[in-house]
């Protein structure tokens, strides 16, 4: 495990990018997760998008799931199927994060709305993450956007973390760009 240099309580267990899921034994990973549960409040296993081997592997060791979606119909339909598969596996504690929310696209009718996603998926909303170019820059520099205190994206992730702990938190509000900014900057 690798301890993060910036956050005292964050550890990562990276996976080999070239590792095939066919060579993994889920029972060994399940035993590792059980062992780590004694030392950590949360163990988050990231799964690739879709319902292929990565999903099957991650869902075989999960107690609960956070479904992350974008506001497009294809993504919501795919994730509706994912939710059905998780429920069939006995994973009942499901929560939703809506990612890359762009209020201008919603207002212009280019995107579905948050309410559309909630209606289609019928899951409790854990958080909203707004689309922001700062996310791309932070990812490219290897700097978690969460560390940008006072930034909208920090607030989005901070609120999600607090909701995971059971705290009541309002959803972060995105300040809309003014009319002139939208006209001249697109």
């Amino acid at each position: 495990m690798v301890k993060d240099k910036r956050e005292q309580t964050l550890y990562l267990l990276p996976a080999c990018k070239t590792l095939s899921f066919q060579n993994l034994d889920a029972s060994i990973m399940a035993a590792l997760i059980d062992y780590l549960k004694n030392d950590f409040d949360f163990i988050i296993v990231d799964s690739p998008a879709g319902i292929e081997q990565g999903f099957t592997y991650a869902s075989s060791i999960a107690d609960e799931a956070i479904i992350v979606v974008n506001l497009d119909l294809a993504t919501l339909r795919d994730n509706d199927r994912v939710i059905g598969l998780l429920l069939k596996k006995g994973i009942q504690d499901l929560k939703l994060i809506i990612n890359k929310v762009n209020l201008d696209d919603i207002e212009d009718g280019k995107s579905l709305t948050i309410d559309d996603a909630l209606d289609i998926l019928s899951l409790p909303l854990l958080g909203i993450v707004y689309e922001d170019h700062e996310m791309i820059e932070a990812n490219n520099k290897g700097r978690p956007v969460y560390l940008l205190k006072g930034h909208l994206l920090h607030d989005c992730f901070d609120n999600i973390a607090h909701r995971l702990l059971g705290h009541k938190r309002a959803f972060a509000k995105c300040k809309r760009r003014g009319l002139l900014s939208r006209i001249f900057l697109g």
Side-chain angles (χ1 to χ4, degrees):
M1 286 200 325
V2 178
K3 186 175 187 297
D4 189 86
K5 296 174 189 173
R6 298 158 292 219
E7 293 292 319
Q8 293 293 323
T9 59
L10 178 63
Y11 292 80
L12 300 173
L13 183 60
C16 176
K17 288 184 181 181
T18 59
L19 183 65
S20 167
F21 286 104
Q22 295 167 345
N23 300 328
L24 293 176
D25 184 342
S27 65
I28 293 172
M29 187 63 174
L32 175 62
I33 298 293
D34 282 338
Y35 175 77
L36 293 173
K37 282 181 181 179
N38 297 323
D39 296 322
F40 296 95
D41 295 324
F42 290 93
I43 299 171
I44 298 173
V45 178
D46 190 15
S47 170
I51 54 171
E52 291 153 8
Q53 287 182 314
F55 166 78
T56 302
Y57 183 75
S59 63
S60 72
I61 58 174
D63 296 327
E64 57 188 272
I66 299 170
I67 311 297
V68 181
V69 300
N70 297 330
L71 290 176
D72 68 80
L73 195 54
T75 299
L76 295 176
R77 284 184 181 153
D78 287 348
N79 278 284
D80 191 41
R81 185 161 178 233
V82 164
I83 291 164
L85 293 171
L86 290 168
L87 291 170
K88 193 180 271 189
K89 288 177 175 266
I91 301 170
Q92 302 294 315
D93 188 357
L94 306 174
K95 297 174 184 70
L96 180 67
I97 294 175
I98 303 177
N99 195 24
K100 298 182 181 177
V101 172
N102 183 313
L103 296 178
D104 292 330
D105 286 350
I106 291 172
E107 185 177 290
D108 294 344
K110 297 177 187 174
S111 170
L112 296 175
T113 67
I114 292 169
D115 286 337
D116 291 334
L118 294 174
D119 289 344
I120 291 168
L121 299 178
S122 300
L123 291 179
L125 184 59
L126 182 61
I128 299 168
V129 179
Y130 294 97
E131 186 174 64
D132 191 303
H133 292 289
E134 191 72 39
M135 178 77 81
I136 297 167
E137 183 179 342
N139 286 342
N140 288 338
K141 291 181 178 179
R143 181 187 68 214
V145 73
Y146 178 79
L147 298 177
L148 302 173
K149 306 276 192 245
H151 192 282
L152 172 65
L153 293 175
H154 167 84
D155 294 343
C156 291
F157 289 112
D158 193 57
N159 288 344
I160 290 168
H162 279 276
R163 277 193 216 90
L164 275 174
L165 293 170
H167 303 157
K168 300 248 187 254
R169 277 298 205 44
F171 294 103
K173 298 289 183 193
C174 181
K175 292 183 180 112
R176 307 243 1 266
R177 293 186 302 155
L179 178 62
L180 292 177
S181 175
R182 285 185 287 170
I183 291 171
F184 292 112
L185 299 177

